[in-house]
């Protein structure tokens, strides 16, 4: 592979030996592609890039190709008002099946984030037009202007139609068309569904001595070798969707063949700018230049510059992922983002950087690409804040993790338990541990790591299920079920009523615990963070107080204490309605606060767990740091505004894909059925949810925050109360205010002024005390002075507890005496020994810390401090008098006199 110098003093430069293509900046390439296809007579609809988070496919980590946003169109599940489209699509390949992360920085072409130029036909034009368009854009002087003598083409070896069209439409000579197999030139969306052959356009980037008009023909083997070496560089892939794959492996023709093409902008830019690596194009060099400025070390385009290339690449991925609402976390998309961030921090560390680096590069990315992608500029502050916070968080543990890896460098295989500790304690993703191990010729016991990770997940599984909206809790209890109605099935009626006259389907009794399965069940079983209902079930001559509801096979069972032998009868089931209404207020409140958080803090906010109880709600969400009181007040006001609007709370069943397309919020890690329940507060909130809610927001009454704190790295937690709970909180605060006002002999409305007056009086008194202490006041009446040679030893007692005041007292002593030592014994709440030494004795090597420590040791205490002033605690306050009596002898011994 050729390595060419590219100046970092300008965005890019083209060495004379490689200016074989018309020089063109990446922004111009991007615009030319969109303009070419959108102009008549081609008339494609210019469709903006979709988000990196697929809108209707939570099983896909990131948008990794231009066709992702059109997937349902290609499948025939969605129709649009256009049949031709052109895009420049943001893409990320850094997780799951499509993962280029480990190659980044070490090759010329691999990236986590890249841009894919693409034109699409949805049952409109097919091979002839697609080939004609591609050839014109690549070779015409009005567009890229690449010489046809430098173009090679691949087709599927069975696609004679495409071979003929390349010759007929584009005039490509047959010796420049190479037929390849399924691995290289056949594309399919999945095991079944749309599929078809591909045709690739490659550019010969070798110098004029080796390529161009009049040069010898290439054989197939040499063609493959040069393409694998990057000398023949693929810039565009045309996919001709013409088959429908069936489960038995057979293919049938699609009724409306389609076209899906993809041209990597970074590769096209490398060709047009005459550079051997994508990292030497104007898409990367400004970011690398900024990294050099921040780090302060020169950039090497060879292997030594890999860390700089990683930083530039990862800065692009981080900026775009954060702009599209992905937030660092320990699962799903957020975990991939955190891996990218921490991999970048490690490479900055390798360059000697011990402060946030990626934040400066993310800023550069926003400046560089903000015109093409305005969301970068709109979200720049958020991007930089989160990036800096993540870098600083990893800096807190990276040194300890690297030190632990150094301790393991003599082992050939890093044990799974150690790899897990690096992950759990030091925040090292397993692939980062593997990367560092490989650099040291070690391997990692990944299976052992997975076992340790599994143990951790098992330990916390029930808590996670409850907080993340998982299934209702299922417990194993003793006893055998007795079936009462074997053919009937339980029906959940709790959305519509809190009371049901019904029959029992089954029951189980073990000791004084009775479980009943109701045919019509109004009791909610804990799920999605919402706690279980309580209430009562009444039969003929008996009553069960329902303390819990549990998941059992085929439904749920109410549980309570029942001491007598049980015989089934028809029942009336009654949920504790006031309690249920409070739960519903809090549940709808979580939806409103989620919406308010996303509106005010940003779309990166995602629920990370919740608890919905009758007396409170708790909501965990992804966010980078504490929320100040002013912002918290805005969020609370936003929620209450929607409460007082008395908006309807609507629920409906929808197809999952329709709900996601409509904007409903779902957990990435959750598995949903084809039909889901959607809770909609029109214009405010739309979420997938199986819980119970108030019919209108006005029934919440009032929403009030009680706490805001951190729950985990990158996760904040708020707690709040609603309705009667909020009213009780206000009454409690009013009572506390009245009590405080009474204690200060004031009225509540004048309390602030009264407190300010008292604080000012207290400051005056503190200043007066300080003046008295400086004058030597504050020691007890029983002080004495002993002479040890020419040194005075002052022994005193005091009731002062405040260490600052003691320091003032000792400073006054040192200012007023020569060749003197003060030992002060304090007898307050924290008994101690304090020693001061005058400056003239310090020059002779006398140290207050040694004296304080030696005297404190008599009482079992210890301490220390600076040479001129030190303090020590009394281990056993009862021995303080003994320490005082032995103090002269101790000082005499330390003075050597």
């Amino acid at each position: 592979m050729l390595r060419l110098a590219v100046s970092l003093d300008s965005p890019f430069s083209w060495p004379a030996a490689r200016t074989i293509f018309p020089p063109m900046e990446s922004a111009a390439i991007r615009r030319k592609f969109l303009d070419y296809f959108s102009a008549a007579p081609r008339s494609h609809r210019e469709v903006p890039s979709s988000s990196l988070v697929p809108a209707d496919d939570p099983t896909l980590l990131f948008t990794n190709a231009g066709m992702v946003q059109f997937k349902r169109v290609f499948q025939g599940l969605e129709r649009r008002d256009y049949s031709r489209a052109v895009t420049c699509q943001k893409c990320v390949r850094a997780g799951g099946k499509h993962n280029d992360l480990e190659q980044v920085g070490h090759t010329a072409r691999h990236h986590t984030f890249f841009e894919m130029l693409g034109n699409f036909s949805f049952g409109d034009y097919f091979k002839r037009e697609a080939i004609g368009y591609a050839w014109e854009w690549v070779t015409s002087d009005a567009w890229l202007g690449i010489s046809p003598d430098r173009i090679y083409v691949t087709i599927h070896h069975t696609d004679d139609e495409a071979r003929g069209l390349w010759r007929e439409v584009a005039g490509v000579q047959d010796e420049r068309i190479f037929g390849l197999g399924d691995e290289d030139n056949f594309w399919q969306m999945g095991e079944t569904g749309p599929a078809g052959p591909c045709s690739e356009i490659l550019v010969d980037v070798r110098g004029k001595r080796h390529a161009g008009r009049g040069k010898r023909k290439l054989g197939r083997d040499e063609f493959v070798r040069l393409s694998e070496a990057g000398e023949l560089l693929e810039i565009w892939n045309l996919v001709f969707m013409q088959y429908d794959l069936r489960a038995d492996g057979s293919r049938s023709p699609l009724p409306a063949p389609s076209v899906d093409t993809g041209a990597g902008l970074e590769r096209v830019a490398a060709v047009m700018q005459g550079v051997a690596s994508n990292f030497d194009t104007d898409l990367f060099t400004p970011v690398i230049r900024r990294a050099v400025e921040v780090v302060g070390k020169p950039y090497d385009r060879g292997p030594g510059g890999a860390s700089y290339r990683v930083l530039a690449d990862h800065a692009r991925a981080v900026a775009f992922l954060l702009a599209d609402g992905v937030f660092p976390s320990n699962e799903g998309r957020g975990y991939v983002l955190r891996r990218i961030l921490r991999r970048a921090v490690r490479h900055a560390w390798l360059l000697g950087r011990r402060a946030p680096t990626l934040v400066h590069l993310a800023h550069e990315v926003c400046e560089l690409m903000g015109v093409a992608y305005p969301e970068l500029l709109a979200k720049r502050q958020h991007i930089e804040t989160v990036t800096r916070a993540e870098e600083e968080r990893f800096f807190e543990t990276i040194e300890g993790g690297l030190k632990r890896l150094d301790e393991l460098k003599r082992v050939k295989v890093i044990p799974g338990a150690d790899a897990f500790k690096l992950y759990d304690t030091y925040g090292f993703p397993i692939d980062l541990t593997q990367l560092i191990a490989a650099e040291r010729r070690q391997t990692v016991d990944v299976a052992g790591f997975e076992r340790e990770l599994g143990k951790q997940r098992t330990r916390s599984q029930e808590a996670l299920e409850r907080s993340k909206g998982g299934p209702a809790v299922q417990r194993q209890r003793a006893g055998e079920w007795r079936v009462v109605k074997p053919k009937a099935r339980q029906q959940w009626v709790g959305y519509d009523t809190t009371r049901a006259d019904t029959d029992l389907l089954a029951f189980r009794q073990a000791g004084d615990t009775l479980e009943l399965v109701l045919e019509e069940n109004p009791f909610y079983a804990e799920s999605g963070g919402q706690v279980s209902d309580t209430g009562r079930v009444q039969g003929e001559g008996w009553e069960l107080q329902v303390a819990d509801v549990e998941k059992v096979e085929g439904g749920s069972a109410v549980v309570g204490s029942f001491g007598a032998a049980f015989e089934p009868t028809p029942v009336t089931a009654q949920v504790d309605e006031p309690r249920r209404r409070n739960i519903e207020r809090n549940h709808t409140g979580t939806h409103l606060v989620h919406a308010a958080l996303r509106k005010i803090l940003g779309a990166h906010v995602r629920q990370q767990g919740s608890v919905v109880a009758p007396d409170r709600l708790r909501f965990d969400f992804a966010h980078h740091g504490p929320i100040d009181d002013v912002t918290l007040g805005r969020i609370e006001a936003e929620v209450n505004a929607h409460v007082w609007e008395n908006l309807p709370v609507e629920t409906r069943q929808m197809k999952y894909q329709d709900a996601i397309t409509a904007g409903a919020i779902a957990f990435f890690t959750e598995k949903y059925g084809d039909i889901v329940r959607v809770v909609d507060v029109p214009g405010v909130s739309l979420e997938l949810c199986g819980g119970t809610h108030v019919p209108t927001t006005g029934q919440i009454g009032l929403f009030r925050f009680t706490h805001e704190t951190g729950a985990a790295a990158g996760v904040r937690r708020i707690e709040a109360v609603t309705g009667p709970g909020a009213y009780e909180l206000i009454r409690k605060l009013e009572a506390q205010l009245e009590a405080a006002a009474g204690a200060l002999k004031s009225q509540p409305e004048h309390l602030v002024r009264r407190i300010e007056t008292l604080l000012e009086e207290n400051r005056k008194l503190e200043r007066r005390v300080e003046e008295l202490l400086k004058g030597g006041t504050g020691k007890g009446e029983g002080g004495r002075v002993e002479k040890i040679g020419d040194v005075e030893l002052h022994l005193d007692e005091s009731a002062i507890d405040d260490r600052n005041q003691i320091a003032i007292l000792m400073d006054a002593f040192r200012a007023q005496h020569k060749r003197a030592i003060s030992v002060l014994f304090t007898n307050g709440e924290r008994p101690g020994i304090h020693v001061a030494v005058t400056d003239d004795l310090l020059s002779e090597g006398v140290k207050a810390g040694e004296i304080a420590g030696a005297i404190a040791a008599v009482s079992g205490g210890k301490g220390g401090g600076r040479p001129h002033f030190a303090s020590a605690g009394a281990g056993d306050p009862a021995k303080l008098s003994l320490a005082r009596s032995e103090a002269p002898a101790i000082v005499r011994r330390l003075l050597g006199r």
Side-chain angles (χ1 to χ4, degrees):
M1 179 65 69
L2 295 173
R3 265 205 357 234
L4 298 165
V6 177
S7 171
L8 287 176
D9 295 329
S10 60
F12 53 84
S13 61
W14 300 283
R18 295 298 299 274
T19 54
I20 51 181
F21 307 108
M24 193 176 296
E25 296 184 0
S26 58
I29 298 169
R30 186 191 296 117
R31 192 63 256 165
K32 278 176 175 284
F33 188 87
L34 297 172
D35 287 347
Y36 171 80
F37 281 99
S38 59
R42 294 164 295 276
S43 303
H44 289 56
R45 175 75 62 84
E46 183 178 331
V47 180
S49 171
S50 64
S51 169
L52 287 169
V53 179
D56 58 357
D57 190 355
T59 63
L60 184 64
L61 271 173
F62 301 112
T63 299
N64 54 27
M67 59 77 60
V68 169
Q69 69 167 309
F70 304 116
K71 185 175 178 180
R72 287 170 57 80
V73 181
F74 282 125
Q75 292 174 320
L77 301 174
E78 179 185 336
R79 296 186 63 85
R80 301 196 181 184
D81 63 351
Y82 51 87
S83 59
R84 300 179 172 204
V86 59
T87 68
C88 181
Q89 175 63 50
K90 303 177 291 187
C91 299
V92 163
R93 291 184 181 174
K97 178 181 177 182
H98 302 286
N99 184 6
D100 292 340
L101 188 59
E102 298 311 322
Q103 287 78 36
V104 170
H106 301 287
T107 71
R109 313 291 175 207
H110 284 98
H111 305 295
T112 52
F113 171 86
F114 59 95
E115 296 175 80
M116 187 64 76
L117 306 169
N119 60 289
F120 306 88
S121 164
F122 311 118
D124 188 330
Y125 62 83
F126 199 44
K127 292 181 185 179
R128 174 178 292 274
E129 294 85 348
I131 289 172
Y133 295 156
W135 185 254
E136 182 179 10
W137 188 73
V138 169
T139 62
S140 170
D141 290 340
W143 305 104
L144 291 189
I146 297 175
S147 170
D149 296 322
R150 288 188 170 272
I151 303 297
Y152 289 85
V153 172
T154 67
I155 59 169
H156 192 266
H157 65 91
T158 64
D159 195 355
D160 294 333
E161 180 186 7
R163 181 184 291 274
L165 287 169
W166 278 113
R167 291 198 300 256
E168 175 192 344
V169 175
V172 179
Q173 297 172 341
D174 201 55
E175 63 262 23
R176 289 180 172 270
I177 304 172
F178 293 87
L180 303 178
D182 285 2
E183 183 177 350
D184 296 302
N185 279 66
F186 193 86
W187 178 92
Q188 59 192 72
M189 187 176 292
E191 294 300 319
T192 60
C198 307
S199 186
E200 297 172 337
I201 298 175
L202 298 92
V203 178
D204 191 337
V205 296
R206 294 177 295 167
K208 294 179 181 179
R209 196 160 59 88
H210 300 285
R213 183 179 299 276
K215 298 300 184 290
R216 65 182 178 85
K217 300 175 183 178
L218 297 180
R220 189 180 188 281
D221 291 344
E222 188 176 9
F223 169 82
V224 172
R225 180 183 65 80
L226 290 173
S227 61
E228 289 178 349
E231 299 295 322
L232 299 182
L233 183 62
E234 177 206 336
I235 63 166
W236 205 345
N237 186 22
L238 316 180
V239 178
F240 305 126
M241 296 187 195
Q242 63 187 82
Y243 300 120
D244 183 17
L245 294 185
R246 294 175 176 170
D248 61 4
S250 63
R251 304 172 182 175
S252 60
L254 283 173
S258 299
V259 173
D260 160 23
T261 83
L265 177 61
E266 293 79 8
R267 287 173 172 246
V268 178
V271 169
M272 301 307 294
Q273 295 171 21
V275 294
S277 168
N278 294 358
F279 289 99
D280 289 335
T281 68
D282 64 336
L283 291 163
F284 289 90
T285 52
V287 186
I288 294 175
R289 183 174 61 245
R290 180 64 180 128
V292 170
E293 293 171 356
V294 172
V295 174
K297 292 184 177 180
Y299 170 53
D300 172 14
R301 283 176 178 75
S307 289
Y308 274 120
R309 293 189 288 275
V310 169
L311 285 169
D313 173 273
H314 288 12
R316 287 164 32 110
V318 166
F320 276 92
L321 286 169
L322 286 170
D324 278 356
V326 181
F327 193 82
S329 68
N330 287 329
E331 61 183 22
R333 299 181 178 109
Y335 181 58
V336 176
L337 174 56
R338 178 162 284 166
R339 284 168 55 203
I340 294 172
L341 276 158
R342 294 189 171 182
R343 190 170 186 265
V345 170
R346 192 253 174 169
H347 278 275
W349 187 279
L350 290 176
L351 290 169
R353 181 78 172 160
R354 300 296 184 265
T357 304
L358 206 64
V359 61
H360 303 290
L361 309 190
H363 177 92
E364 186 69 26
V365 171
C366 293
E367 290 290 319
L368 182 66
M369 304 186 75
V371 174
Y373 300 98
E375 64 268 25
L376 291 173
L377 297 177
K379 301 285 185 65
R380 182 164 57 189
Q381 182 177 357
H382 166 69
I383 291 167
E384 293 178 16
T385 299
V386 175
T387 302
R388 182 183 295 278
E390 279 292 307
E391 288 191 271
E392 290 175 343
R393 183 174 293 116
F394 193 37
F395 270 123
E396 294 173 1
T397 60
I398 186 173
E399 189 168 7
L402 292 173
K403 182 179 179 181
R404 179 58 186 150
L405 280 167
D406 286 340
E407 294 169 355
L408 295 167
K409 64 184 178 183
R410 297 189 183 278
V411 302
K412 291 184 178 180
V413 180
I414 295 176
D418 287 295
F420 177 74
K421 184 174 182 181
L422 285 165
Y423 164 81
D424 194 45
T425 304
Y426 300 107
F428 277 50
I430 183 62
D431 55 343
L432 179 57
T433 300
Q434 288 178 289
L435 175 68
I436 297 172
E439 292 170 355
R440 300 176 176 184
R441 300 182 185 279
Q442 297 172 291
T443 58
V444 180
D445 177 12
V446 178
F449 167 83
E450 293 292 347
R451 284 194 297 271
E452 294 297 322
L453 185 62
K455 291 177 185 176
Q456 183 200 53
R457 286 171 174 164
T458 299
R459 288 191 296 268
S460 60
Q461 185 175 7
E462 184 172 310
L464 284 171
E465 290 285 1
R466 291 185 181 186
S467 66
K468 290 286 184 76
V473 178
Q474 185 168 358
R475 297 185 179 91
Q476 296 296 323
R477 292 186 183 274
E480 294 293 328
W481 284 102
R482 287 181 56 186
V483 178
V484 181
K485 296 181 70 173
K487 294 184 179 181
R489 290 190 173 187
Q490 186 178 75
Q491 180 184 0
W492 158 250
V493 296
Y495 289 139
D496 303 314
T497 183
T498 55
R499 176 189 170 96
D501 294 319
T502 186
D503 294 325
L504 298 181
L505 299 183
F507 71 93
R508 177 168 62 182
Q509 189 171 25
D512 61 354
T513 298
L514 178 62
E515 299 170 81
L516 305 177
V517 178
L518 307 174
E519 184 171 7
E520 290 183 305
N521 173 39
F523 288 89
Y524 186 86
E526 180 177 334
S527 182
Q530 179 175 329
V531 300
S532 296
D533 283 329
T534 61
R536 68 179 186 276
V537 176
Q538 288 181 311
E540 296 175 2
W542 58 271
E543 179 175 292
L544 176 72
Q545 291 295 322
V546 176
D548 200 2
V549 187
E550 296 176 1
K551 188 72 174 177
V552 296
E553 185 177 352
S556 59
V558 297
V559 185
S561 295
F562 196 86
F566 180 75
E567 290 297 331
T569 68
V571 300
T572 297
Q574 176 65 60
V575 174
D576 183 337
E577 190 162 353
R579 183 177 181 274
R580 163 75 82 82
R581 298 301 172 231
N582 286 334
I583 292 171
E584 290 172 347
R585 291 183 179 97
N586 286 329
H587 203 156
T588 306
T590 64
H591 286 220
L592 295 182
V593 78
H594 192 186
L597 287 164
R598 287 172 61 83
K599 177 180 178 180
I600 293 173
L601 299 183
H604 65 278
V605 169
R606 287 274 173 167
Q607 181 177 347
Q608 299 294 304
S610 67
V611 171
V612 179
D615 58 335
R616 68 187 177 103
L617 66 89
R618 190 186 79 199
F619 189 80
D620 296 348
F621 58 96
H623 188 59
H624 53 76
I627 304 172
D628 60 71
D629 290 341
V630 173
T631 305
L632 205 62
R634 288 175 58 205
I635 296 166
E636 185 178 271
E638 176 78 11
V639 173
N640 279 311
H642 295 313
V643 169
W644 300 329
E645 284 180 278
N646 197 30
L647 299 169
V649 180
E650 302 168 353
T651 61
R652 57 185 178 274
Q653 302 287 326
M654 295 180 68
K655 290 182 178 180
Y656 172 79
Q657 292 290 359
D658 292 342
I660 296 301
T661 301
I665 295 176
F667 280 115
F668 172 74
T669 53
E670 281 302 307
K671 302 297 182 184
Y672 295 96
D674 293 335
I675 303 299
V676 294
R677 183 172 183 262
V678 177
V679 177
D680 184 10
V681 182
V684 179
S685 168
L686 188 68
E687 295 194 30
L688 306 189
C689 179
T692 63
H693 290 267
V694 294
T696 62
T697 59
Q699 294 194 22
I700 295 173
L702 181 66
F703 177 93
R704 191 81 168 89
F705 282 124
T706 57
H707 297 92
E708 190 278 334
T709 186
V715 178
R716 304 302 299 176
R717 169 173 292 170
I718 56 96
E719 295 189 41
V721 288
T722 64
Y727 176 74
E728 290 173 9
L729 175 63
I730 291 171
R731 292 293 296 158
K732 180 181 177 181
L733 291 174
E734 285 181 343
Q736 292 172 339
L737 187 65
E738 292 278 359
L744 296 179
K745 297 181 172 57
S746 178
Q747 295 297 318
E749 59 268 26
H750 303 138
L751 187 57
V752 173
R753 181 59 189 152
R754 176 63 175 149
I755 291 173
E756 290 173 345
T757 301
L758 290 173
L759 288 173
E760 180 59 31
E761 291 174 357
N762 190 60
R763 281 191 287 269
K764 291 178 181 178
L765 290 172
E766 286 177 346
R767 288 195 291 270
R768 178 60 181 150
V769 169
E770 187 174 321
E771 291 170 1
L772 292 172
L773 291 173
K774 288 179 178 177
T777 304
K779 297 180 180 178
E781 297 297 325
R784 73 176 193 272
V785 179
E786 292 192 14
K787 293 286 287 185
I788 302 175
D790 63 344
V791 176
E792 288 184 355
L793 174 61
H794 293 247
L795 299 169
D796 290 284
E797 292 184 2
S798 176
I800 297 175
D801 256 343
D802 189 286
R803 196 176 188 281
N804 291 328
Q805 293 181 355
I806 293 169
I808 293 171
L809 194 62
M810 289 305 205
D811 285 343
F813 171 85
R814 283 168 27 80
Q816 296 167 6
H817 292 82
K818 300 289 185 182
R819 301 192 65 73
I821 298 170
S822 174
V823 179
L824 181 66
F825 296 85
T826 55
N827 300 298
E829 292 183 5
R830 294 175 295 174
I833 300 113
H834 310 275
V835 177
V837 176
T838 56
D839 290 341
D840 45 15
L841 292 179
L842 291 178
S843 62
E844 298 177 10
V846 180
K847 296 180 180 179
E850 292 181 359
I851 297 172
I855 296 172
V858 176
S859 67
K862 58 183 179 179
R866 291 168 291 178
H868 68 279
F869 172 55
S871 298
D876 182 356
K879 294 183 178 180
L880 205 58
S881 59
L882 177 61
R884 176 172 180 172
S885 66
E886 294 185 11
I890 292 171
V891 174
R892 184 175 286 105
R893 174 171 55 81
L894 292 174
L895 291 175
R897 301 176 185 177

